[in-house]
């Protein structure tokens, strides 16, 4: 307070008001004026320091929250509406257990300069990209699948030559980047990506998820400097733990920040379920549905939708028509491919006592609707505990904290305290998952018991270091099983699905607060115990590399799905396993009854690529790039080491015309807090640097005056 008073009423030396100001001042007068200037400059320096501190704190806020952060979250920055308008269309054909999607992106250049568009976008976590087509006016250019480095080189060469070019490459199994070169002022260029994904079937219901945006991912590790590259663009710098952080961090903005007609999508699904369909629903969007037996035509009720959340469509077979098995066949380039789906019997064994660790993500990306969903999910999980169970609650953001030092009995006192603790959780800070996993995996009860150890991980999965986390789960989980709960309107489903797979558990997704009871009820029912272990699949003759090679345990409502190459549609398929209590179970299917299928070759190839990547992870070695490239090119399916590129032969951009690069942003996921926005920083540090310069100037002036004073 004393300092504020002094600033408001500065003490100025009386000599500063010397009455005689003559052209030639006396030595004493000059000394008095120097003392006056010294006092004023020092006080001004103090005032500027107080002004600079909040600017510095603001500039440091995101850095402390998110390592690798390059651009600040501040709507006061000089954000400009993108010059490229984005329009999207999803045309989806569902046949049985596979869906083929034609995703069309139209980029319209509203500026008066030539543009190169760059768009980082999500796809389903099990998507197999198998086609790229670029359209300019009436001209269609079909893309070619090439080794990644070669595709980049060919694209860059075409771009510099002024040719139209487009490329799509995989950054993560569910995250891709598209580049479009030489879009003329006022011109539209359309890029069509073709991909395939499996339809999820659980608990008697089919589900298809179409991502349209993504939650900004946390990039752990210290920022590292790398040579400037035209292929680097995003709000994050590469870090010691996420080397490609700059390539997977698209800017995230609000709908009002883009052209009113941009970032909208038209969606249509044509479903051939292969059996009568009773109803089609969606927890994400109201739907228009036309049902005709086993066929359904589905579209969002509102027409074009805002691309700010995943589109989820579910359909349920008619009563008593839920499949217990399904077989599909395909011949491709003279080879036979078969896909089998088998449901285990609905049976449960003895209810076992459990030691349950609930791990909840309270980082900044969970702020808003996500943390409310996560709190509801955790409270629902606490309600499932029975007498004799043990539990603990761990929350994490920049650090991990446990409610209790060790798992405690699930009785009234401990549960009441846990419920109060969960109700008070808020979202803020970074997403340091590794620390939370270490804390949970190292936690053991002080009392020896025969409890089944399980972990429930509730998060949006917004991290960039997925691979390192999978390794940590694989090597450190021990006898525990990991179950994941996807939270939010645009979660990282690749992380949630793979974390559960490596943790020998299961995953589920909570899209809205209204879905908590339904989604969690199914998950916790599955957690009671696997319904079938020691699963064995026997195909007639010799088959090449079944996908997956070794099925894991099956949980309640979860089918076995396997694809093989080289097995003709004849003979019998035998599936066997062990039910709770040690009973054996076996079923035999006649392969001659297999229905015609499409895309089985691509599904097998994608599974084999994943298997090669898994083998390298298990061995602690680099993946066999040559084997992956061969699989990718021979089956026309994109991989981490191959990319699609389409190049027009004619030259479009005149020589001498410059080319501007524009990174098209994604929309902030619905329900997220504005603090998750990622705008390009163009002015945020300006006031800070200006103020620092003025402070330095004032101190320099004071030093000069003190020096002159010594000479007088």
């Amino acid at each position: 307070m004393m300092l504020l008073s002094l600033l408001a009423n500065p003490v100025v030396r009386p000599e500063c008001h010397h009455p005689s100001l003559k052209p030639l001042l006396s030595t004493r007068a000059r000394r008095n004026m120097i003392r006056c200037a010294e006092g004023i400059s020092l006080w001004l320096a103090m005032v500027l320091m107080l002004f600079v501190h909040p600017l510095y704190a603001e500039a440091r806020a995101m850095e402390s929250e998110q390592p690798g952060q390059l651009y600040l979250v501040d709507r006061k920055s000089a954000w400009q509406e993108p010059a490229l308008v984005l329009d999207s269309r999803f045309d989806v054909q569902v046949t049985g257990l596979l869906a083929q999607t034609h995703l069309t992106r139209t980029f319209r250049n509203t500026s008066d300069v030539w543009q190169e568009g760059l768009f980082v976008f999500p796809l389903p976590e099990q998507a197999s990209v198998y086609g790229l087509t670029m359209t300019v006016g009436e001209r269609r250019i079909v893309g070619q699948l090439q080794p990644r480095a070669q595709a980049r080189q060919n694209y860059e060469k075409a771009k510099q030559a002024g040719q139209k070019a487009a490329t799509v490459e995989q950054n993560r199994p569910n995250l891709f980047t598209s580049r479009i070169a030489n879009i003329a002022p006022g011109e539209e260029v359309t890029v069509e990506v073709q991909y395939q994904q499996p339809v999820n079937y659980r608990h008697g219901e089919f589900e298809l998820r179409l991502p349209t945006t993504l939650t900004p991912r946390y990039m752990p590790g210290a920022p590292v400097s790398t040579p400037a590259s035209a292929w680097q663009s995003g709000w994050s710098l590469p870090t010691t733990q996420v080397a490609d952080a700059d390539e997977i961090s698209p800017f995230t903005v609000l709908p009002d920040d883009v052209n009113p007609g941009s970032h909208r999508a038209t969606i249509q699904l044509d479903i051939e379920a292969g059996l009568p369909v009773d109803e089609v629903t969606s927890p994400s969007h109201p739907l228009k549905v036309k049902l005709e037996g086993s066929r359904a035509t589905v579209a969002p009720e509102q027409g074009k939708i805002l691309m700010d959340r995943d589109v989820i469509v579910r359909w349920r077979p008619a009563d008593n028509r839920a499949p217990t098995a399904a077989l599909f066949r395909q011949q491709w380039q003279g080879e036979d491919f078969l896909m089998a789906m088998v449901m285990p019997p609905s049976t449960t064994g003895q209810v076992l006592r459990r030691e349950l660790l609930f791990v909840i993500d309270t980082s900044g990306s969970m702020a808003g609707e996500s943390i409310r969903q996560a709190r509801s999910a955790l409270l629902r999980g606490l309600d499932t505990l029975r007498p004799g169970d043990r539990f603990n609650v761990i929350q994490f953001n920049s650090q991990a904290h446990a409610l209790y030092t060790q798992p405690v009995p699930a009785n009234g006192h401990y549960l009441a305290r846990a419920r109060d603790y969960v109700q008070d959780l808020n979202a803020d800070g970074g997403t340091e998952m590794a620390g939370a996993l270490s804390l949970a995996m190292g936690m053991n009860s002080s009392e020896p018991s025969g409890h089944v150890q399980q972990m429930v991980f509730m998060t949006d999965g917004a991290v960039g270091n997925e691979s390192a986390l999978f390794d940590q789960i694989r090597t450190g989980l021990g006898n525990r099983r990991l179950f994941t709960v996807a939270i939010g309107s645009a979660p990282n489903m690749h992380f949630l699905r793979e974390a559960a797979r490596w943790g020998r558990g299961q995953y589920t997704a909570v899209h809205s607060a209204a879905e908590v009871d339904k989604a969690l009820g199914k998950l916790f029912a599955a957690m009671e115990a696997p319904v079938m272990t020691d699963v064995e699949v026997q195909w007639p003759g010799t088959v090449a590399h079944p996908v997956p090679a070794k099925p894991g345990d099956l949980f309640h409502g979860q089918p076995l799905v396997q694809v093989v190459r080289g097995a003709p549609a004849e003979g019998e398929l035998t599936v066997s396993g062990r039910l709770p209590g040690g009973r054996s179970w076996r079923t035999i299917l006649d392969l001659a009854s297999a229905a015609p299928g499409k895309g089985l070759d691509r599904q097998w190839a994608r599974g084999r690529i994943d298997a090669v990547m898994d083998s390298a992870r298990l061995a602690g070695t680099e993946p066999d790039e040559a084997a992956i490239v061969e699989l990718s090119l021979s089956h026309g399916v994109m991989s981490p080491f191959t990319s699609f590129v389409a190049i027009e032969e004619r030259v479009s951009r005149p020589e001498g015309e410059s080319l501007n690069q524009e990174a098209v942003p994604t929309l902030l996921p619905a329900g997220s807090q504005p603090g998750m926005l990622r705008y390009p920083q163009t002015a945020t540090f300006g006031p800070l640097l200006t103020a620092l310069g003025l402070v330095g100037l004032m101190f320099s002036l004071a030093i000069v005056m003190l020096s002159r004073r010594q000479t007088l």
Side-chain angles (χ1 to χ4, degrees):
M1 293 300 293
M2 181 180 295
L3 178 59
L4 292 175
S5 176
L6 288 172
L7 289 173
N9 302 284
V11 179
V12 181
R13 301 172 68 93
E15 293 86 349
C16 291
H17 299 285
H18 199 282
S20 101
L21 296 174
K22 298 179 181 180
L24 297 176
L25 296 176
S26 65
T27 300
R28 181 179 180 183
R30 289 200 303 272
R31 288 176 178 170
N32 290 340
M33 289 195 67
I34 289 172
R35 292 191 185 100
C36 176
E38 288 172 8
I40 293 173
S41 63
L42 288 171
W43 283 118
L44 284 174
M46 287 295 296
V47 171
L48 282 170
M49 283 298 292
L50 291 174
F51 170 67
V52 167
H53 183 268
L55 288 176
Y56 177 76
E58 179 182 350
R60 289 285 296 176
M62 281 304 299
E63 183 179 339
S64 62
E65 177 182 335
Q66 183 139 342
Q69 180 70 31
L70 175 62
Y71 296 108
L72 299 185
V73 178
D74 182 2
R75 297 210 65 195
K76 297 178 183 178
S77 297
W79 167 255
Q80 296 179 349
E81 182 180 294
L84 294 177
V85 174
L86 175 70
D87 186 66
S88 299
R89 180 178 180 87
F90 294 77
D91 290 297
V92 186
Q93 298 281 339
V94 177
T95 305
L97 296 176
L98 293 176
Q100 318 282 337
T101 298
H102 288 212
L103 171 54
T104 305
R105 308 278 198 194
T106 300
F107 298 86
R108 178 163 54 89
N109 183 2
T110 62
S111 72
D112 56 1
V113 297
W114 288 75
Q115 296 279 359
E116 177 192 19
L118 184 154
F119 187 49
V120 179
F121 60 96
L123 286 182
E125 73 274 11
Q126 292 181 284
S128 302
V129 177
Y130 62 88
L132 170 70
T133 304
M134 178 175 64
T135 303
V136 186
E138 299 298 321
R139 307 188 301 277
R140 286 175 56 85
I141 301 94
V142 177
Q144 302 296 319
L145 187 61
Q146 301 174 355
R148 182 165 173 154
Q150 179 184 338
R152 281 192 173 192
Q153 183 179 7
N154 290 338
Y155 173 85
E156 279 295 322
K157 184 178 178 181
K159 182 180 77 171
Q160 298 302 327
Q163 298 166 269
K164 291 278 193 305
T167 184
V168 173
E169 64 182 27
Q170 177 181 319
N171 305 105
R172 296 289 187 277
N174 64 335
L175 192 62
F176 295 75
T177 297
S178 179
R179 289 175 173 81
I180 307 92
N182 295 310
I183 309 175
E187 187 177 44
E188 285 189 358
V189 175
T190 297
V191 176
E192 180 185 301
V193 175
Q194 296 169 274
Y195 69 87
Q196 173 179 297
Q197 70 185 105
V199 175
N200 188 34
Y201 180 70
R202 284 188 186 174
H203 305 286
E205 186 175 64
F206 296 92
E207 179 181 289
L208 195 70
R209 179 182 287 258
L210 302 174
T212 67
T213 190
L214 64 149
T215 302
R217 300 187 180 193
Y218 178 77
M219 311 297 178
V224 296
S225 59
T226 58
S229 168
W231 293 81
Q232 298 175 348
S233 178
W235 55 258
S236 179
L237 286 171
T239 75
T240 53
Q241 296 186 42
V242 189
D244 62 347
D246 55 327
E247 297 184 20
I248 62 170
S249 53
F251 303 118
T252 307
V253 302
L254 295 172
D256 292 343
D257 295 320
V258 298
N259 186 289
S262 188
H263 290 71
R264 269 68 176 173
T266 302
I267 296 176
Q268 178 161 323
L269 285 82
D270 292 313
I271 300 171
E272 174 51 76
L275 69 172
V277 175
D278 190 40
E279 62 175 353
V280 181
T281 60
S282 170
S284 62
H285 298 80
L287 298 177
K288 291 188 302 183
V289 179
K290 182 180 179 182
L291 273 175
E292 294 181 0
S294 63
R295 298 184 63 86
T297 303
V298 184
E301 193 175 79
Q302 66 191 79
K304 283 192 174 184
I305 63 165
L306 200 61
M307 293 169 57
D308 66 345
R309 71 194 71 192
D310 290 358
V311 178
I312 301 171
V313 178
R314 296 169 179 162
W315 57 99
R316 182 176 291 277
D319 291 342
N320 302 319
R321 298 299 298 272
T324 57
L327 291 169
F328 301 92
R329 69 177 186 273
Q330 178 195 12
Q331 268 211 344
W332 180 79
Q333 294 189 355
E335 289 190 295
D336 294 299
F337 291 85
L338 287 170
M339 171 186 279
M341 184 200 78
V342 180
M343 289 295 300
S346 298
T347 180
T348 57
Q350 178 184 0
V351 176
L352 303 174
R353 292 187 299 171
R354 297 178 297 165
E355 181 182 281
L356 217 55
L357 299 182
F358 297 97
V359 184
I360 181 171
D361 183 349
T362 58
S363 65
S365 67
M366 294 282 289
E369 179 61 23
S370 292
I371 191 63
R372 289 189 285 272
Q373 292 177 17
R375 285 196 300 255
S376 298
L378 206 161
L379 292 171
R380 176 71 175 82
L382 292 174
D383 290 340
T384 68
L385 293 170
R386 298 185 177 93
D389 290 345
R390 304 181 70 83
F391 79 101
N392 203 350
V393 177
I394 296 172
Q395 61 115 346
F396 73 94
N397 40 55
S398 299
Q399 294 181 325
H401 303 277
L403 173 58
Y404 302 109
T405 57
Q406 60 193 21
V408 297
N411 62 31
H413 167 71
Y414 290 116
L415 285 172
R417 183 182 171 191
R419 290 189 179 96
D420 290 340
Y421 178 77
V422 172
Q423 292 282 14
D424 292 336
L425 291 176
N426 292 305
D428 192 21
T431 314
E432 290 290 347
M433 284 192 184
L437 287 169
S438 295
L439 179 60
M441 292 187 297
M443 185 168 290
N444 293 304
S445 174
S446 62
E447 300 180 10
S449 64
H451 288 72
V452 175
Q453 294 183 317
Q454 297 175 333
M455 186 191 307
V456 181
F457 208 88
M458 303 175 181
T459 177
D460 57 12
V463 290
N465 61 327
E466 296 102 321
S467 184
L469 294 171
F470 298 150
D471 287 339
Q472 185 180 8
I473 291 167
R474 178 181 62 82
T475 59
L477 198 61
N479 291 326
R480 281 194 176 89
R481 289 183 184 263
L482 175 66
F483 298 81
T484 59
V485 180
I487 301 292
S489 57
N492 180 359
M493 291 302 297
H494 165 62
F495 173 78
L496 277 302
R497 175 182 174 275
E498 288 296 288
R501 182 172 72 89
W502 287 107
R504 307 183 311 279
Q506 202 177 43
Y507 70 97
T508 192
V510 177
H511 188 80
S512 65
E515 283 216 308
V516 169
D517 283 345
K518 178 181 178 182
L520 271 295
K522 293 177 180 178
L523 178 68
F524 287 113
M527 288 174 61
E528 297 287 351
V531 297
M532 191 155 68
T533 59
D534 301 329
V535 180
E536 296 286 345
V537 183
Q538 295 179 332
W539 296 86
T542 302
V543 296
H545 302 296
V547 174
K550 175 63 177 174
D553 297 344
L554 297 180
F555 293 88
H556 178 67
Q558 174 189 359
L560 162 72
V561 179
Q562 192 175 63
V563 185
V564 296
R565 170 187 176 186
E570 56 187 36
E572 293 180 336
L573 168 66
T574 302
V575 180
S576 61
R578 193 168 301 279
L579 299 174
R583 293 173 296 149
S584 296
W585 177 86
R586 188 175 74 156
T587 188
I588 298 175
L589 304 176
D590 182 6
L591 294 179
S593 64
K598 181 181 178 182
L600 272 59
D601 62 302
R602 290 190 286 265
Q603 191 67 14
W604 178 86
R606 167 62 194 266
R608 279 297 302 148
I609 291 171
D610 291 344
V612 174
M613 299 287 288
D614 285 350
S615 296
R617 176 172 286 121
L618 290 169
T621 60
E622 290 297 315
D624 187 343
E625 182 173 339
I628 292 174
V629 169
E630 193 278 329
L631 273 167
S632 173
L633 296 180
S634 61
H635 288 269
V637 176
M638 190 188 294
S639 75
F641 304 113
T642 52
S643 303
F644 276 101
V645 62
I647 298 173
E648 186 178 31
E649 291 186 4
R650 59 181 286 184
V651 174
S652 299
R653 177 166 53 90
E655 187 175 351
E657 288 282 354
S658 61
L659 181 65
N660 184 58
Q661 185 187 76
E662 170 130 334
V664 180
T666 59
L667 295 187
L668 182 71
S672 300
Q673 293 291 87
M676 289 300 297
L677 293 171
R678 296 292 186 270
Y679 289 102
Q681 176 241 329
T682 58
T684 305
F685 278 108
L688 174 61
L689 296 176
T690 301
L692 288 173
L694 288 173
V695 170
L697 181 62
M698 286 300 177
F699 276 113
S700 299
L701 179 61
I703 291 171
V704 169
M705 289 182 172
L706 286 172
S707 300
R708 293 190 61 184
R709 179 178 176 183
Q710 296 294 327
T711 62
L712 293 177

